[in-house]
Structure formats: C-alpha cells, structure tokens
Amino acid sequence: SKGWYKEVIQILHAKFGLNSFRPNQAEAINETLSGQDVVVLMPTGGGKSLCYQLPALVKSGTTKGTTIVISPLISLMEDQVYHLKNLNIKAEMVNSKLDADTRSEVISTLVKGELELVYISPEMLSISRVMQMALQTMYDKHILARIVIDEAHCVSAWGHDFRPDYMALTKVKNDYPGIPIMALTATANNQVLLDIVNCARPNPLVLKQSFNRTNLLYEVRKKGPKVVNEIAEICLNYGGKSGIIYCRSKKDCETTAEKLRSHGVSAEHYHAGLDSETRSKVQKNWQESRTHVVCATIAFGMGIDKPDVRYVIHMSMPQNMEGYYQETGRAGRDGRMSKVYLFYKFGEYLNIRRMILEEQEVQRDIREHKASLLLKVMQYCENTVDCRRKQVLQYFNETFDSRLCEMKCDNCVAMRGQTVVCQDVTELAKD
Ligand code: ADP
Ligand code: MG
Ligand code: ZN
C-alpha cells in the first residue's frame, strides 16, 4: 500500500477522533494524495469534508503545503473553520465579511505557508487581485497542496443552486498546472456532473456511491385547506423530536409557525428577511432542541449538521428533485429512522411554474429548463404507483429495485403492503 497509509490512519484517530472510514473516503484521500484529480459524489451527511480535511494534514503524500477550499456560503465556512480550530488544525478563511486588516493578515500567513487549510469564497478568488497574487506566489513556492471545490454543483447552470462566481473555477486547472483538484457534491445528475468534471483535468477519478437513504420513510400527500392542522398533528405525534417544515414564502413561514404554536407545537420561523442575530438565535434554539420545529424557507439548512432531525415536511412542492433530495436529506443524519412528507396541489404547481417562467433576469432556456425540473417534481407527486425511492434515485440516474424499499414509502405500502407498515415513526422515535 501507499507510503502515507500509516500517517492517514494515525490522523484519522488522533486528530479527528474517528475509528474508521465511511464508503469512498479512503479512496478519495488516497487518490488526492497521489496527485490525482477526484470528483466525489456523496449524499448529504456522507462525510465529504473529511475527504479533503484529512489529506491537508498529511506530510508524507506527494503534495506539500496548504489546501485551498472554495465554499459557497460564509456560514458554511465559519462552521467548518471553527470546528477545525477546535481540533487544533491551522485553518482560516478569506471572504468579504472579514475586515480588510484581518484579511491581509490571513493572506500573509497563507503566503508564508503557515496554514494547513484555507477556505476562500468564490468571489474572492475571481475578483481579488491580492488573493490571486497570493495563490500565484504559493504556486511558485510549491506550497499550494491542492484545490478543493466544495458544493461543486454550484458551477452548473443546470443544477439547482448555480452561482455565477463558481464559473471561474473551471479555469483553476489551467491557472495552477499540476495542482490536484478535488470537487465534491451531494447532488449531481448527468448534466451537472459533466460541468463538475470539466473543472478537473481530463479523466478524473469519479467516486460515486448510492444515494439511497435507507433510513428515510417517504410520503406524499395532496394538500387541502386544512394542511396546517394536518401538519400540527404530525408534529404533535413526534412529541419533542426535532423537525423542519419547508415553506414557500417568508409569509408562509411566519403564519405556519404561529398556527402551529396555537396547536401547542413548539415552533419558530426562519427566513432571509430576519436580521442575522434573530436568524442565529432561531437556529441555535432549534439546534439545541429548545424549540422543536422550524418553519423555514430553503435558506435554512445548508451547512447545518443536526444529526437527530426526525422529520422534514415540505408544505409546498420543492422546485426540483435535487432540492427535494437535499432538503429531505437533512432528516436522519444519525442513521435512525426518520420520515419525510411532501404536500402538493396542482394549482400551486401552476403558480410556481408561472413564477419561474416570468423570472426576468434569467436566460430563457434556463427558465424553460427550470420549468422542466419542476414538472418532474409534479410527476413524482402524481405517480402513486412506483416506489418513491425508485423515483428519487432514478432522477440521479441510479437504478433501484423497489423490493429493496422494504415498504418504507407510501406507494410500496399502497401497491404491495398487506397491512399498513408505513406508520408514523413515533414509536421508533420514542426509544
Ligand atoms: P457532507 O459534507 O458529506 O454532508 P460532513 O462532511 O459534514 O458531510 O459530515 C457529516 C458528519 O459525518 C459529520 O458530523 C462528520 O463528523 C461525520 N463523519 C464524517 N466521516 C466520518 C467517519 N469516517 N466516521 C464517523 N463520522 C464521520
Ligand atoms: Mg459538506
Ligand atoms: Zn418504496
């Protein structure tokens, strides 16, 4: 085996306090330490961070110096850097939220080669001359170890979370020849994957694992006028367990939380319209299980790592299957049984569709593409025959034998179940 094997295991135990690797982590680490480009497709919660955080600390690989991580959200960055510093790892970040002094301080430490990892926002990389020069200097000094593109689906206009600043990342492979690239994401259909692979050099190793979340129960319901009562009933059934309710608008978040409270559910709302202090307070209350339910827009959740979310409810249909997968994926990260509910109605589909097609600032073919992604969600909702799991996985080009669902979705129960097995997970959640 490779010369760094012992050191890798030692760091896994001593620095990260973990016993063993999860699927594909060892492969990704090995490959990047040999200097290969790697694309990692791993479900949310699968452990993508370790794939680049661990090799950043290895001294015996073929790469030396600092690992650069591009990450789309400042809150994600803060979270990770905080966590790494707690583990006594030399990590910093460079983004627009830092004041100029702190920023140049970090950059000078970086150029001296004193950091193990640095998180950089994509706009810093694409517009900051100082940043670009720093990276060039590091490259010339041979202290640029590797470039990591986290949440790599953001490079693709075909994905659900395109960020124009990420486009610059397709050319880092040319700007820094020979520096290994690692791109990671939880959501990529074939089209998005092509764009991600294009960030790496020809023929990168693509590590892909099943996206099946075996511990999630799926249910889709038609949405009626009493939807909030129905949701309140679900929440109350879970007792004090944690849940997320995704709502379409800020207004929906507020009114739903209020109605739930009137039913005796411990609920708060969260959306981009709140000031950042309130937002972090709501998040913290929920994360520490003081409030049980958050009614939120999809702004809530990225970078949140709460392991014991027992249910996720979409009060309105999501705009695409990728978003649905990612949002439902926040349930059951600890591996225990959890349930996801989706409420939909045709009229609402038409509204969302119209809104998408009327988005002025978006190119026409992209708008139409988005409408076609929405249509797939509608088809998913209306298909009451095929296993939900099979349908979700099909979207990610993964074939799934629905017998393996083991009655953990509403359709399997309706089509093949003798008795109702797909009950709420209240009983499971109690122990
Ligand atoms: P992702 O980015 O793929 O969504 P993270 O990297 O945030 O996932 O990891 C999710 C959780 O899994 C974290 O709490 C992390 O500590 C944990 N984790 C990662 N790798 C391992 C491992 N090999 N053994 C145990 N826990 C792990
Ligand atoms: Mg991640
Ligand atoms: Zn099924």
Side-chain angles (χ1 to χ4, degrees), residues 12-243:
L12 179 73
H13 296 322
K15 267 286 184 189
F16 291 94
L18 299 172
N19 296 321
S20 56
F21 285 116
R22 291 207 184 138
N24 283 342
Q25 285 180 330
E27 289 82 352
I29 291 168
N30 229 333
E31 209 66 20
T32 194
L33 286 171
S34 338
Q36 283 298 307
D37 287 1
V38 196
V39 173
V40 180
L41 296 176
M42 205 183 261
T44 306
K48 288 183 284 300
S49 322
L50 194 76
C51 298
Y52 57 85
Q53 289 173 347
L54 194 156
L57 312 181
V58 173
K59 303 275 184 284
S60 53
T62 58
T63 48
K64 297 265 176 302
T66 307
T67 294
I68 308 289
V69 184
I70 315 298
S71 172
L73 285 181
I74 294 179
S75 61
L76 265 176
M77 257 185 229
E78 289 172 338
D79 237 48
Q80 299 227 356
V81 171
Y82 174 80
H83 175 68
L84 290 169
K85 283 184 167 172
N86 266 342
L87 298 175
N88 278 323
I89 293 167
K90 286 177 233 139
E92 293 292 346
M93 59 189 165
V94 181
N95 58 47
S96 53
K97 205 175 157 189
L98 296 184
D99 60 71
D101 283 351
T102 317
R103 204 150 67 204
S104 41
E105 212 172 291
V106 173
I107 292 179
S108 75
T109 337
L110 176 64
V111 174
K112 280 188 236 154
E114 288 169 4
L115 298 178
E116 291 167 314
L117 282 129
V118 65
Y119 285 74
I120 302 177
S121 60
E123 79 276 3
M124 277 290 143
L125 193 71
S126 59
I127 63 172
S128 163
R129 267 307 280 151
V130 179
M131 194 67 239
Q132 287 160 5
M133 276 161 58
L135 292 179
Q136 189 58 49
T137 308
M138 291 172 71
Y139 181 76
D140 296 339
K141 284 166 67 176
H142 304 286
I143 55 167
L144 189 55
R146 71 182 50 75
I147 297 171
V148 175
I149 306 173
D150 203 4
E151 310 290 344
H153 58 276
C154 296
V155 299
S156 178
W158 302 113
H160 67 290
D161 197 17
F162 173 57
R163 283 156 202 257
D165 276 323
Y166 255 62
M167 289 233 279
L169 298 178
T170 52
K171 58 184 207 41
V172 291
K173 61 172 186 259
N174 304 324
D175 292 348
Y176 309 104
I179 303 299
I181 291 168
M182 180 186 274
L184 311 99
T185 182
T187 54
N189 58 25
N190 281 347
Q191 240 167 346
V192 175
L193 182 59
L194 278 178
D195 286 343
I196 295 175
V197 165
N198 188 37
C199 293
R201 295 176 187 83
N203 304 315
L205 176 74
V206 179
L207 292 171
K208 203 170 168 173
Q209 67 188 76
S210 174
F211 277 56
N212 183 16
R213 291 289 311 272
T214 50
N215 63 319
L216 294 190
L217 298 170
Y218 290 82
E219 182 172 338
V220 178
R221 294 190 194 176
K222 276 233 164 89
K223 182 171 172 176
K226 293 231 164 90
V227 62
V228 184
N229 293 355
E230 243 178 281
I231 290 176
E233 197 179 308
I234 294 173
C235 296
L236 290 170
N237 259 328
Y238 284 92
K241 302 287 173 186
S242 298

Side-chain angles (χ1 to χ4, degrees), residues 386-390 400 402 405-413 416:
D386 295 311
C387 172
R388 297 286 180 198
R389 203 175 292 281
K390 184 187 171 86
F400 179 77
S402 51
C405 177
E406 297 174 329
M407 302 290 170
K408 288 188 291 209
C409 82
D410 52 357
N411 288 354
C412 280
V413 170
R416 297 183 290 118

